[in-house]
Amino acid sequence: MKLPIFLISLFLLTACSNTKPVHPTLQATLWVQNSTEFDALAIMTYQTAETKLREALMDKTWTAELSQIDSDFENLPPAVILDIDETVLDNSPFQARMIENNSGYDPVEWEKWVLEGNADAISGAINFTTLAAEAGVTVIYLSNREANTEQATRLNLESLGFPLSNDSDVVLLKGEQENWTSSKIERRLHVASQFRVIMLFGDDFNDFLPAKNMTITDRDILLEIHRANFGEKWFILPNPIYGSWNDAIFNFDRNLNEDEKQKLIETHLQTKN
């Protein structure tokens, strides 16, 4: 029996209306939350750093902070600098909420998530930071979380077992001081004035070098210049969900509509045709 055309149309309309659009971060979030490969990469990153720790402590000329080169830093106490989000703390549940609600990034909702203090640790991060602290290294957490979230951030880190020194402020957030903007340069300089920075950890190129508003080509050139530092003094964690890599695809333009974004995405897909 053939269905009347209006019933077929009604069925198709209902089916389409009940189908959620695919969120652009769905696959990446599923990978971060479910793949053994993600955990393996994180563990590999931190275990590689562990193998370099003793060498870094023994060599007084060893620094991971470019501003310390050609300066007197050899007798400063050692420290490591780690980004927080997606480097030591896993915020993928916040991303999953965005997917469930089919929403984009909302700073108000992000702050609510941070204040919950409910993020889990990235695999390998607790082991490494504990080992570093036991070796006399000050572990410093440098993040673009807002300054008003410091207490919640500290409690989250402490509850998971991350070491937090009481001798100095080791959680350095955006806005704590007037010149502490989203750029991390000033805060790294602040740390470098007190410590010999032996390692840097992050999930974004800007955790190591200023790379905002740089084209993908220029970022690749910068990587080639500093490639010897990665896996030696600089350690990067995978983040396929968000970051300056994604902003670079859209030329750091936050005002693009979806059609304009799609066109840029298509120009960056490499098919080798």
Side-chain angles (χ1 to χ4, degrees):
M1 181 181 69
K2 291 184 178 181
L3 291 173
I5 190 66
F6 80 91
L7 286 178
I8 297 174
S9 300
L10 180 62
F11 172 77
L12 292 173
L13 181 62
T14 303
C16 290
S17 65
N18 289 335
T19 302
K20 280 187 177 181
V22 177
H23 196 280
T25 68
L26 175 61
Q27 285 296 105
T29 304
L30 284 170
W31 185 75
V32 167
Q33 291 193 326
N34 296 278
S35 73
T36 302
E37 290 84 352
F38 174 80
D39 287 333
L41 283 167
I43 290 168
M44 181 174 66
T45 299
Y46 279 111
Q47 287 188 167
T48 301
E50 289 175 15
T51 66
K52 296 291 182 181
L53 189 60
R54 189 171 185 275
E55 181 182 357
L57 289 172
M58 294 293 291
D59 184 356
K60 294 292 186 179
T61 66
W62 180 296
T63 180
E65 170 53 45
L66 297 178
S67 68
Q68 290 190 317
I69 297 173
D70 299 326
S71 67
D72 296 326
F73 64 88
E74 290 87 351
N75 295 318
L76 294 174
V80 292
I81 298 177
L82 302 99
D83 172 52
I84 293 178
D85 299 310
E86 281 49 76
T87 300
V88 299
L89 292 183
D90 171 17
N91 300 289
S92 61
F94 169 73
Q95 198 70 33
R97 294 179 188 181
M98 289 169 53
I99 294 169
E100 284 292 318
N101 296 325
N102 193 35
S103 62
Y105 174 76
D106 183 338
V108 174
E109 292 302 314
W110 165 249
E111 186 167 305
K112 288 179 182 177
W113 161 256
V114 172
L115 293 175
E116 284 181 31
N118 201 26
D120 290 325
I122 296 290
S123 296
I126 296 173
N127 286 348
F128 171 78
T129 53
T130 299
L131 182 68
E134 290 174 349
V137 179
T138 299
V139 180
I140 295 172
Y141 308 90
L142 196 160
S143 168
N144 277 339
R145 292 183 170 203
E146 298 292 339
N148 66 298
T149 67
E150 178 160 348
Q151 183 180 5
T153 299
R154 281 179 168 273
L155 289 174
N156 197 166
L157 291 167
E158 287 175 345
S159 70
L160 294 169
F162 283 100
L164 288 165
S165 173
N166 294 319
D167 296 332
S168 60
D169 183 8
V170 293
V171 180
L172 309 180
L173 305 186
K174 184 176 71 173
E176 275 191 54
Q177 294 187 21
E178 187 177 354
N179 62 341
W180 288 9
T181 64
S182 59
S183 170
K184 296 182 175 180
I185 297 171
E186 292 299 328
R187 280 173 284 168
R188 285 200 295 264
L189 290 174
H190 171 78
V191 176
S193 68
Q194 305 172 64
F195 298 94
R196 177 167 67 94
V197 181
I198 60 174
M199 291 179 183
L200 297 174
F201 294 79
D203 67 304
D204 192 283
F205 215 43
N206 286 286
D207 293 318
F208 310 92
L209 296 161
K212 284 190 175 182
N213 298 317
M214 293 185 69
T215 66
I216 293 174
T217 299
D218 287 341
R219 289 159 66 89
D220 288 343
I221 292 171
L222 205 55
L223 172 60
E224 283 302 309
I225 293 171
H226 298 283
R227 67 181 298 163
N229 284 321
F230 285 98
E232 185 81 4
K233 300 174 181 179
W234 297 353
F235 300 89
I236 194 161
L237 282 293
N239 182 356
I241 299 175
Y242 69 90
S244 63
W245 69 269
N246 192 53
D247 294 329
I249 288 175
F250 301 125
N251 301 318
F252 295 89
D253 187 348
R254 298 294 177 89
N255 298 314
L256 297 175
N257 61 41
E258 291 306 313
D259 287 340
E260 290 169 330
K261 287 182 179 179
Q262 186 60 35
K263 287 178 182 177
L264 285 172
I265 287 171
E266 291 171 1
T267 64
H268 286 91
L269 285 174
Q270 302 173 25
T271 61
K272 293 291 186 180
N273 288 337

